[in-house]
Amino acid sequence: WGSTGMMMSNWLLNNVDGWQQTMKPEAAVILFGTNDLGRIMPPEYTENMAASLRRMMADGTVPMFTTVPPKSGRDEMVYDYWLASLSIARGLKAPVIDYYAEIMRRRPNDWDGRLEKFSRYQGYQVPTLISRDGTHPSNPQEFMNNFSPEALNSNGYTLRTYMTLETYAEVIRE
């Protein structure tokens, strides 16, 4: 159904028609790019994502395009995918969930769970926005299903959920 991990933008492009026909979604939350890093370069990523979003929009689906989060040790590369995402969304007039920018705004110096200061935490339990693996959002239990300012600064999954709900509410209003 499109929620499988470890897939890349070419997989989305190859499967979007089937999902559109089967599910006929009103809206879709789209986040691809993290797994593309170093495998599918930004020009091909841009082509894959733009074509996929155009297909969705042709069927009446509103794609809510989520930008890739920062990734430990891949700053320059992630930045290129972030710019590509913004360009695609702007060109297609699609809503953007600017996850990358929000993480950088909230925690510009310590978003990365791999930092030494977080070494006592395990896996997803680190109280910053990206987990100890340096890739996935954090998810400390104490901040799950909590949308307080502290939780939004300390749980990457909660922040992403909050931003998605805000964007979807805007889509409905408009």
Side-chain angles (χ1 to χ4, degrees):
W1 298 107
S3 60
T4 302
M6 299 183 59
M7 297 301 172
M8 297 181 286
S9 60
N10 58 343
W11 182 75
L12 171 64
L13 182 59
N14 292 331
N15 289 283
V16 67
D17 287 331
W19 297 324
Q20 288 296 116
Q21 291 171 5
T22 302
M23 294 186 276
K24 299 175 182 22
E26 166 184 290
V29 179
I30 307 299
L31 171 55
F32 280 85
T34 302
N35 293 325
D36 290 74
L37 293 172
R39 296 182 190 136
I40 294 179
M41 295 298 109
E44 184 180 352
Y45 169 79
T46 300
E47 290 174 24
N48 291 343
M49 296 308 297
S52 297
L53 269 62
R54 280 193 300 273
R55 288 181 183 179
M56 290 175 207
M57 294 170 84
D59 289 338
T61 300
V62 177
M64 296 183 293
F65 197 9
T66 309
T67 61
V68 296
K71 181 174 174 144
S72 186
R74 294 301 204 51
D75 297 342
E76 278 185 42
M77 218 181 251
V78 170
Y79 188 78
D80 291 342
Y81 287 80
W82 175 65
L83 289 177
S85 298
L86 295 178
S87 176
I88 295 162
R90 188 175 300 117
L92 296 175
K93 296 181 172 74
V96 176
I97 302 167
D98 198 350
Y99 193 43
Y100 175 88
E102 189 64 12
I103 288 173
M104 299 311 286
R105 184 186 74 75
R106 289 175 178 272
R107 302 209 57 159
N109 301 312
D110 70 347
W111 56 265
D112 189 354
R114 284 186 154 178
L115 294 174
E116 182 61 35
K117 72 189 259 179
F118 299 117
S119 63
R120 67 185 176 101
Y121 297 95
Q122 297 296 311
Y124 294 95
Q125 296 304 309
V126 60
T128 190
L129 295 172
I130 299 297
S131 68
R132 290 282 298 151
D133 70 5
T135 300
H136 296 93
S138 65
N139 199 16
Q141 287 184 340
E142 66 185 289
F143 298 114
M144 290 172 103
N145 301 315
N146 176 347
F147 296 98
S148 69
E150 182 182 11
L152 294 175
N153 286 329
S154 303
N155 185 311
Y157 276 108
T158 295
L159 176 62
R160 193 172 80 185
T161 298
Y162 178 79
M163 293 179 71
T164 300
L165 291 172
E166 277 193 325
T167 302
Y168 189 53
E170 185 179 320
V171 166
I172 291 170
R173 278 192 299 273
E174 295 197 23

